[in-house]
């Protein structure tokens, strides 16, 4: 047979598959009604395993086993979705969805231009620069560490906090993710800030004089190539510090000619320091995603990015079962990151970013299912990233 004849044959098979699919969904709907009447759960993993085992046996072709498992796992997802409509009705709101709807109704249309904000560090810190881009006029309160920022917002000292979440070179700031969960905070806005590091020292100091460099560990990681090259030449010591700006301030107050800090260009003028080397980061397009956190859920006009976390078992198919839901609802994932749960064997926590309108029925249904089928599910907010 030629290609057109083969395609025609496939068309006929597809039509028959469609007919059988519709028939299966009708039966699944009846199963859903029975489960609802008899208070039975929708999910039945044992039944699904039995079906897969039987089909793989009947196929009598080992090459098809993986394909059978993949195709029928998707079919099981569709069947559960259809049954869930019978249980709950399409788009029925969960407690979380009601909270989201309430936030959308009560949040002002415009993001505030003037507010009290908590940041780590001092003037010249990248968090301060991000804060001043997010707000026209911010009353900034500086703190020593990330947890102090979260405590300030949680306790009502500041309405908002601005903290780094992800750097393009050094990766995620895991401590911030942990604190978001610990204090139950929400993300209400984000900004992608270009980060250009410079090496600062007291006036009169030269590169050959430097014996010690201090900065925050993330900045050190982002400048590793530069530091490694000069460590070989000069054998200077690299020391982690609480913040880039406070490191620059410490250098200025020390008066030492053999001490330097990695910080922002703004710190040179702020603390009367000289720039020994400019743009020392590993990548020219280095940037950090900062987030604005709030104790209350706020969803402003233009919000189109959602962040959430959840935990799943480390077993075959568990992640696929979650990710298939995003494909089912046509929702685009922009970030998927995982870490093992400390002190728990075979448990992994996932961090997810996705692009979707918060008011769409697909978004509501996805959250509805993730809440029920993952552990420790946490919605972190829907926001606009500048």
């Amino acid at each position: 047979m030629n290609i057109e004849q083969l395609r025609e044959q496939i068309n006929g098979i597809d039509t028959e598959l469609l007919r059988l699919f519709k028939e299966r969904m009708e039966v699944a709907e009846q199963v859903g009604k029975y489960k609802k009447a008899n208070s039975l759960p929708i999910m039945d993993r044992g039944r699904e395993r039995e079906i897969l085992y039987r089909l793989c046996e009947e196929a009598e072709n080992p090459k098809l086993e993986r394909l059978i498992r993949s195709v029928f796992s998707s079919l099981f997802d569709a069947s559960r979705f259809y049954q869930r409509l019978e249980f709950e009705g399409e788009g029925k709101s969960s407690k979380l969805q009601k909270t989201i709807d309430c936030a959308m109704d009560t949040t002002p249309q415009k993001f505030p231009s003037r507010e009290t904000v908590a940041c780590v560090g001092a003037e010249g810190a990248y968090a301060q620069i991000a804060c001043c881009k997010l707000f026209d006029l911010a009353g900034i309160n500086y703190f020593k560490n990330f947890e102090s920022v979260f405590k300030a917002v949680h306790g009502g000292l500041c309405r908002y906090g601005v903290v780094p979440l992800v750097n393009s070179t050094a990766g995620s700031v895991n401590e911030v993710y942990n604190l978001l969960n610990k204090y139950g905070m929400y993300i209400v806005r984000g900004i992608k800030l270009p980060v250009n590091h410079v090496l600062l020292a007291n006036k009169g100091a030269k590169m050959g004089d430097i014996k010690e460099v201090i900065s925050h560990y993330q900045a050190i990681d982002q400048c590793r190539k530069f530091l490694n090259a000069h460590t070989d030449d000069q054998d200077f010591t690299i020391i982690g510090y609480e913040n880039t700006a406070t490191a620059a301030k410490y250098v200025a107050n020390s008066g030492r000619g053999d001490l330097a800090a990695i910080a922002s260009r703004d710190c040179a003028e702020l603390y009367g320091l000289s720039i020994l080397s400019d743009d020392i980061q590993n990548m020219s397009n280095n940037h950090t995603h900062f987030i604005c956190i709030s104790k209350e859920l706020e969803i402003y006009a233009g919000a189109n990015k959602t962040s959430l976390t959840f935990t799943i078992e480390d077993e075959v198919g568990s992640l696929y079962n979650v990710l298939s839901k995003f494909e089912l609802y046509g929702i685009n994932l922009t970030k998927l990151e995982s870490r093992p749960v400390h002190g728990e064997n075979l448990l992994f926590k996932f961090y997810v970013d996705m692009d979707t309108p918060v008011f769409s029925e697909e978004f509501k249904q996805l959250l509805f299912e993730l809440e029920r089928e993952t552990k420790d599910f946490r919605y972190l907010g829907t926001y606009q990233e500048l």
Side-chain angles (χ1 to χ4, degrees):
M1 288 191 292
N2 61 37
I3 187 66
E4 294 303 324
Q5 290 172 319
L6 292 170
R7 284 174 176 169
E8 188 60 32
Q9 193 172 0
I10 285 177
N11 289 342
I13 294 170
D14 288 344
T15 299
E16 181 64 12
L17 286 174
L18 177 60
R19 183 189 68 78
L20 292 171
F21 176 75
K22 290 167 64 178
E23 185 177 325
R24 194 186 199 283
M25 289 301 103
E26 289 170 2
V27 176
E29 185 177 27
Q30 296 303 311
V31 171
K33 290 179 179 179
Y34 181 88
K35 288 180 178 178
K36 182 177 181 181
N38 292 273
S39 301
L40 296 174
I42 292 174
M43 177 71 76
D44 189 345
R45 291 291 189 201
R47 166 69 175 158
E48 292 178 4
R49 281 195 300 271
E50 288 175 9
I51 294 172
L52 288 175
Y53 186 85
R54 174 177 58 82
L55 293 175
C56 288
E57 285 280 297
E58 292 177 1
E60 297 181 345
N61 184 347
K63 292 182 180 179
L64 292 179
E65 285 192 11
R66 290 194 181 202
L67 298 175
I68 289 169
R69 282 158 47 195
S70 176
V71 169
F72 278 86
S73 292
S74 296
L75 192 57
F76 295 155
D77 281 340
S79 293
R80 288 195 300 270
F81 170 74
Y82 220 55
Q83 290 177 34
R84 191 165 283 111
L85 295 183
E86 179 61 36
F87 264 63
E88 297 142 350
E90 187 167 10
K92 181 176 178 180
S93 292
S94 64
K95 183 178 178 181
L96 171 59
Q97 189 57 52
K98 290 176 181 176
T99 302
I100 293 172
D101 290 341
C102 180
M104 292 175 66
D105 291 338
T106 57
T107 303
Q109 285 290 305
K110 186 180 178 184
F111 190 74
S113 60
R114 180 169 55 88
E115 197 49 79
T116 55
V117 186
C119 290
V120 168
E123 286 291 314
Y126 290 104
Q128 174 259 308
I129 297 170
C131 181
C132 290
K133 289 183 179 295
L134 287 166
F135 298 90
D136 292 337
L137 182 61
I140 302 178
N141 292 286
Y142 292 106
F143 296 89
K144 190 172 183 179
N145 53 48
F146 294 139
E147 184 151 22
S148 296
V149 170
F150 278 80
K151 286 181 177 178
V153 178
H154 188 265
L157 179 62
C158 298
R159 181 176 174 183
Y160 297 112
V162 173
V163 290
L165 190 64
V166 181
N167 176 262
S168 57
T169 302
S172 296
V173 185
N174 292 326
E175 183 184 356
V176 171
Y177 273 115
N178 293 338
L179 291 169
L180 280 167
N181 287 312
K182 179 178 179 179
Y183 288 93
M185 292 292 172
Y186 294 101
I187 305 172
V188 298
R189 182 138 299 197
I191 184 169
K192 181 179 174 181
L193 184 76
V195 173
N196 299 310
H197 294 301
V198 297
L199 188 68
L200 301 174
N202 282 300
K203 292 188 183 298
K206 297 181 175 57
M207 193 67 202
D209 301 328
I210 304 303
K211 300 297 181 186
E212 190 175 301
V213 176
I214 62 173
S215 193
H216 190 265
Y217 74 91
Q218 281 261 336
I220 291 171
D221 285 345
Q222 293 165 34
C223 302
R224 186 62 64 184
K225 290 181 180 178
F226 171 86
L227 292 171
N228 287 345
H230 284 81
T231 300
D232 293 340
D233 295 338
Q234 296 180 229
D235 193 29
F236 53 56
T237 304
I238 302 167
I239 299 175
Y241 208 75
E242 60 195 26
N243 180 263
T244 55
T246 55
K249 191 174 182 179
Y250 178 81
V251 170
N253 291 337
S254 73
R256 289 170 54 184
D258 64 343
L259 179 64
I262 297 171
S264 69
R265 175 178 284 275
D266 290 6
C267 288
E269 183 176 353
L270 282 168
Y271 302 114
L273 299 171
S274 296
I275 298 175
L276 295 184
S277 190
D278 203 352
D279 290 333
I280 63 172
Q281 62 276 355
N282 300 339
M283 301 169 58
S284 59
N285 63 341
N286 186 38
H287 58 268
T288 296
H289 293 263
F290 283 86
I291 54 172
C292 181
I293 59 170
S294 170
K295 184 177 180 180
E296 305 298 330
L297 177 60
E298 301 174 1
I299 301 176
Y300 289 93
N304 58 6
K305 179 177 181 177
T306 294
S307 296
L308 49 88
T309 69
F310 54 81
T311 301
I312 60 175
E313 301 283 350
D314 181 21
E315 59 185 26
V316 175
S318 58
L319 180 57
Y320 171 82
N321 289 331
V322 172
L323 296 184
S324 63
K325 299 182 190 309
F326 290 86
E327 196 278 332
L328 178 63
Y329 294 114
I331 293 174
N332 182 42
L333 278 175
T334 58
K335 175 181 178 177
L336 178 67
E337 185 176 321
S338 70
R339 282 191 295 149
V341 178
H342 181 68
E344 296 283 347
N345 291 329
L346 304 179
L347 276 180
F348 281 80
K349 182 172 282 292
F350 285 82
Y351 305 94
V352 170
D353 289 343
M354 56 186 180
D355 290 333
T356 181
V358 69
F359 49 80
S360 72
E361 288 299 321
E362 291 80 8
F363 174 80
K364 293 180 182 179
Q365 197 66 36
L366 176 64
L367 290 190
F368 196 72
E369 294 195 31
L370 290 178
E371 267 192 290
R372 282 153 181 75
E373 297 187 22
T374 62
K375 299 174 185 249
D376 303 322
F377 176 83
R378 175 114 206 288
Y379 168 74
L380 299 178
T382 301
Y383 52 98
Q384 182 182 27
E385 185 167 68
L386 306 177

